[in-house]
Amino acid sequence: MKIRRSFLLTASLVAALCVSTASPAAASAGTVTSTVVTPPAVVSGSSLATAFNDGAGGSYQVYSSGQTRNLIRVLSTGVVDTAFNAGAAVPIGIPASLANSGTIRLNATTHAGTGKWWTVASDQMPSSSSGAGITITSGNVQGVVSVTKNIDSATVISKCAEHVSGASTFQTPSLLPRRNGGVWLLVTCGTSLEVNFAQVLSPLTEAGEFDTASRTVSTRAAHGSTASCNLLSTLVADPTSKAPAPEVWMIRPEHNYQESSQCVTGTFGQNASARITGVAGAYVALASLAVSPDGTVTRTQLATSPALQPGGMRIDPGGRPVALAAEITDRTKIKAFRIKADGSLDTSVGTNGFRDLDAGALPAGATALNTSITGIVTTADRTYFAIALSDGEVSGYASNSTTLRVHGFRMGLASMTDGWATGFGTNGIGSRVTTTLPENWFALGRVVATGSTVNAQGEPQNLTLSQTSTSLNIWGAIAGATGGGEGGTGLGGFTRDTGGAPSAGNNGSATGRIDTKVYTRLPSTVQLNTAFTVLSPTQATTQTLTSNTGNTCAVSGSHVVAIATGRCNVTVTRKRDKKVLRTLRTTVNKEISTLGSEVTASNPITFSIASARLSSAARTQIAEIATSAANAKAIVVVGHAAALTESRFNFAISRKRADAVRRALRRANVAAPVTATARGTSQQISRKKTEAAQAQNRRVVVYLIP
């Protein structure tokens, strides 16, 4: 039997790897270094199956031995976390019917803010009669398991049947984090491999139960008036849970072609796409779908020509989805695009919102190419996305053939601003690694490359399996990389490439560049929205800071924060006798610098005329800021006023507004020290004397210092 599909490195099949127990030395940008992974002693005799981000610079790693799966945590230093489950591996739940034999598929995700992990294990393709079902396991960063939940096939298929009439089977279950706890369970389900298939997204609670307060969502939802069918979609959720609504983004290829009155879908889309594009009058269009926390779906059409197949999606540091698609008729022709908060294309980059990326000729011997975004890399002025390019000797594999086949993997780096990164590999594409495996491994969907992501140093990486071992492949980082990861709001700090704050509002994230130096003198010039530590912990017990230029720089604890352009003057005073010990001077400007910690400024919290009362919207915004401030070292709250009354009142009301926000942050149990300061009317957004203009000035801005 021939199964006509290519092995596709999609987000639903791979998980993020941060570090290995044996990280190879750094290589030049785009050059790959491969190291065979040696299992640590706690899982000796096992083989590394997959790994995923722990949200703190390290990784959770799953090792397999026969039909068992065991989880360990590896710290960012590359050593096993002995505090995780008291140094022992955590057994991962699998369906009981797979305890002795069968193919185990495993997928995982992490809530980056808490480090809580989730896994889902299943059979290759469970049916309503097999009873194998799925097993959900969840635990925390200490290795304490809180959920082991078995869900039988009939229950999962009943969720499918809400959207696919006659659904009898499902496959490739995966997980996406939910913003308020729990996960989304994503399964592909239907009645056959090529027709009447859909992806169904079901909300699960923290207890692993189906959440009856939210609806299940199908990738068939909210179709346009002319495209009644769709191929497989690519989905993403912000792992930091900090992006503004929606909760899940989808990119869906839509079409109008049916066979025997049923939509042609195709389990992996590519073959169905080729069939559709060969039919006169048939077409494939792209649409974005925004899924709200309660399951409401909003659709926006993106493009109708040329026909494109999505290839993965990630959230950029500004909280916006960046996606990849390949032309169906020539998959070496790749297009990248970015979605705005309203679901439409960001046409400020590329051509009509699409950035053309030509992957060039296939490597010698390769006949097929698949591409997917696997992570994000940031520099001072660019956001790059890592692109996995996987190729094979044939485009479809026979499930009964043991013929050895070569499969290759490369990593590329590109940005929406420039296209392929010229400083990475050859024309933006790094060197190639290969693995040789029996043909039926590919045909049966056995994972031959996983852990595809970007590590905290900005290095793209993945794991490749051979018949005897697992190798960690790391491609050297591009020059000037300031951070990396699987994507998410605030990753690596906001850069000029993302337009600064997220397009739908930024309520802060203390995850940007961190400068740990204690400065005895400030640099002659510093970048706007940066912070500098000027007191050591010992000095902070006997000394205090005072800003003499409050309109330009504020102080909080041991830190000086640049909040506006201009001259900055700060004195260091001895607490005991108020003696001035030194004066720190600098100039704040907007030029990009590598010095200082990047400070995140919230969207303005606005107020009514002559009022310091917090509205319900303001309270919601402050709650989001409090969540984002979990890792902040200090917080500065700056109050402002409109210029429609006398200056004495304006300064007083700006102080009251800052104090109101400071108290609300305290009530939200923010651990970092919070300093409130008032600016009156000295920093006006608008100087027009109309009410509409002055309403912008009645505000408080919160600065998070990482």
Side-chain angles (χ1 to χ4, degrees):
M1 178 180 70
K2 286 273 187 179
I3 298 180
R4 296 293 300 169
R5 74 185 188 201
S6 294
F7 182 81
L8 185 61
L9 274 175
T10 64
S12 63
L13 290 179
V14 300
L17 175 71
C18 288
V19 296
S20 169
T21 53
S23 297
S28 59
T31 299
V32 67
T33 302
S34 299
T35 303
V36 174
V37 176
T38 302
V42 67
V43 285
S44 178
S46 301
S47 60
L48 182 60
T50 191
F52 54 102
N53 198 317
D54 72 349
S59 66
Y60 294 116
Q61 300 184 0
V62 179
Y63 284 80
S64 65
S65 178
Q67 294 300 101
T68 65
R69 300 293 183 270
N70 293 296
L71 179 75
I72 64 172
R73 186 185 184 207
V74 177
L75 301 174
S76 58
T77 56
V79 300
V80 175
D81 182 4
T82 55
F84 185 77
N85 196 31
V90 174
I92 297 297
I94 61 172
S97 60
L98 300 179
N100 298 314
S101 64
T103 300
I104 300 172
R105 301 190 72 103
L106 186 72
N107 196 278
T109 192
T110 309
H111 281 279
T114 64
K116 185 171 184 178
W117 50 269
W118 293 78
T119 65
V120 56
S122 73
D123 196 354
Q124 172 74 11
M125 186 179 288
S127 66
S128 56
S129 59
S130 71
I134 63 175
T135 300
I136 303 287
T137 310
S138 178
N140 62 16
V141 292
Q142 286 79 40
V144 178
V145 175
S146 56
V147 174
T148 301
K149 180 71 175 179
N150 295 301
I151 305 175
D152 61 40
S153 292
T155 301
V156 178
I157 291 173
S158 71
K159 297 296 180 181
C160 294
E162 294 178 17
H163 304 278
V164 182
S165 176
S168 59
T169 187
F170 68 91
Q171 63 176 332
T172 59
S174 59
L175 302 170
L176 296 171
R178 292 180 72 191
R179 184 167 300 159
N180 296 319
V183 288
W184 292 94
L185 171 66
L186 176 67
V187 295
T188 303
C189 49
T191 58
S192 78
L193 286 173
E194 291 295 336
V195 297
N196 202 27
F197 250 69
Q199 293 154 284
V200 174
L201 198 62
S202 299
L204 300 181
T205 66
E206 281 283 281
E209 305 281 353
F210 286 103
D211 188 351
T212 56
S214 298
R215 71 193 78 176
T216 61
V217 178
S218 168
T219 53
R220 290 182 173 182
H223 266 292
S225 58
T226 57
S228 57
C229 305
N230 60 270
L231 306 178
L232 289 196
S233 304
T234 185
L235 298 88
V236 71
D238 189 348
T240 67
S241 297
K242 295 172 184 173
E247 184 155 313
V248 177
W249 284 99
M250 302 184 200
I251 300 297
R252 180 174 70 191
E254 303 175 343
H255 67 91
N256 62 350
Y257 179 59
Q258 296 185 351
E259 293 179 357
S260 301
S261 300
Q262 288 188 316
C263 289
V264 172
T265 54
T267 52
F268 282 79
Q270 182 180 352
N271 300 305
S273 300
R275 287 159 59 186
I276 294 164
T277 53
V279 175
Y283 69 93
V284 177
L286 284 186
S288 71
L289 281 77
V291 182
S292 68
D294 68 355
T296 301
V297 178
T298 304
R299 172 189 176 275
T300 303
Q301 184 163 316
L302 301 179
T304 57
S305 180
L308 299 171
Q309 177 68 35
M313 183 163 44
R314 286 292 186 268
I315 301 295
D316 76 2
R320 295 170 295 192
V322 178
L324 203 68
E327 293 187 17
I328 290 172
T329 55
D330 183 354
R331 295 182 65 82
T332 65
K333 300 294 191 297
I334 308 166
K335 295 181 183 295
F337 52 99
R338 190 163 62 196
I339 305 299
K340 297 195 296 186
D342 62 2
S344 63
L345 280 174
D346 181 355
T347 56
S348 67
V349 288
T351 303
N352 298 321
F354 288 94
R355 171 63 66 186
D356 290 323
L357 302 171
D358 190 334
L362 288 172
T367 63
L369 178 69
N370 289 296
T371 55
S372 179
I373 291 181
T374 62
I376 298 289
V377 178
T378 56
T379 65
D381 61 355
R382 287 290 183 272
T383 292
Y384 294 99
F385 37 92
I387 301 175
L389 301 99
S390 63
D391 58 72
E393 291 183 330
V394 292
S395 58
Y397 297 94
S399 62
N400 58 356
S401 171
T402 57
T403 301
L404 294 180
R405 299 290 188 184
V406 175
H407 211 80
F409 303 92
R410 295 171 292 165
M411 284 288 180
L413 209 63
S415 74
M416 290 301 301
T417 304
D418 305 315
W420 290 114
T422 55
F424 185 87
T426 302
N427 298 322
I429 299 178
S431 48
R432 183 174 182 245
V433 294
T434 61
T435 186
T436 302
L437 292 169
E439 187 172 324
N440 59 1
W441 277 43
F442 301 100
L444 295 176
R446 297 186 67 172
V447 177
V448 295
T450 186
S452 296
T453 188
V454 176
N455 64 24
Q457 289 72 48
E459 299 168 322
Q461 59 186 54
N462 74 356
L463 296 167
T464 50
L465 309 184
S466 71
Q467 291 177 282
T468 58
S469 64
T470 301
S471 294
L472 170 64
N473 311 302
I474 297 181
W475 284 260
I478 193 168
T482 57
E486 62 179 297
T489 302
L491 172 73
F494 300 134
T495 69
R496 288 185 290 191
D497 191 32
T498 66
S503 53
N506 167 31
N507 288 326
S509 167
T511 57
R513 183 183 70 235
I514 298 176
D515 186 346
T516 59
K517 178 180 177 179
V518 177
Y519 287 78
T520 57
R521 298 176 60 186
L522 290 173
S524 58
T525 60
V526 300
Q527 180 184 335
L528 179 66
N529 287 348
T530 54
F532 294 81
T533 304
V534 296
L535 298 179
S536 68
T538 300
Q539 290 172 328
T541 62
T542 60
Q543 300 173 18
T544 187
L545 301 177
T546 302
S547 174
N548 304 313
T549 50
N551 291 339
T552 305
C553 52
V555 296
S556 179
S558 302
H559 309 281
V560 176
V561 187
I563 60 174
T565 57
R567 299 289 298 173
C568 171
N569 183 302
V570 173
T571 54
V572 181
T573 305
R574 190 161 55 199
K575 293 180 180 179
R576 173 168 49 86
D577 56 6
K578 309 299 182 185
K579 180 180 179 180
V580 175
L581 302 178
R582 54 192 167 112
T583 300
L584 306 171
R585 297 181 177 87
T586 188
T587 299
V588 182
N589 58 38
K590 294 182 179 180
E591 293 300 315
I592 298 297
S593 170
T594 59
L595 302 178
S597 297
E598 289 179 307
V599 172
T600 302
S602 73
N603 269 353
I605 301 168
T606 56
F607 294 80
S608 299
I609 296 175
S611 174
R613 184 176 181 178
L614 297 172
S615 66
S616 59
R619 293 182 186 279
T620 299
Q621 190 174 352
I622 291 169
E624 294 174 355
I625 294 171
T627 300
S628 300
N631 298 318
K633 289 183 179 178
I635 300 172
V636 175
V637 178
V638 182
H640 302 271
L644 296 178
T645 56
E646 60 181 271
S647 59
R648 183 176 58 181
F649 174 82
N650 290 334
F651 187 85
I653 195 67
S654 68
R655 165 63 71 179
K656 289 180 179 179
R657 288 167 178 161
D659 285 340
V661 172
R662 178 183 58 80
R663 289 193 297 270
L665 288 170
R666 283 290 180 223
R667 287 194 295 270
N669 297 317
V670 169
V674 183
T675 301
T677 185
R679 292 294 174 263
T681 60
S682 62
Q683 293 176 346
Q684 300 283 284
I685 293 176
S686 175
R687 297 191 178 277
K688 293 181 180 180
K689 297 303 181 182
T690 64
E691 164 53 26
Q694 288 299 314
Q696 302 175 65
N697 296 326
R698 295 192 296 267
R699 72 195 193 279
V700 165
V701 178
V702 180
Y703 297 86
L704 304 185
I705 305 170

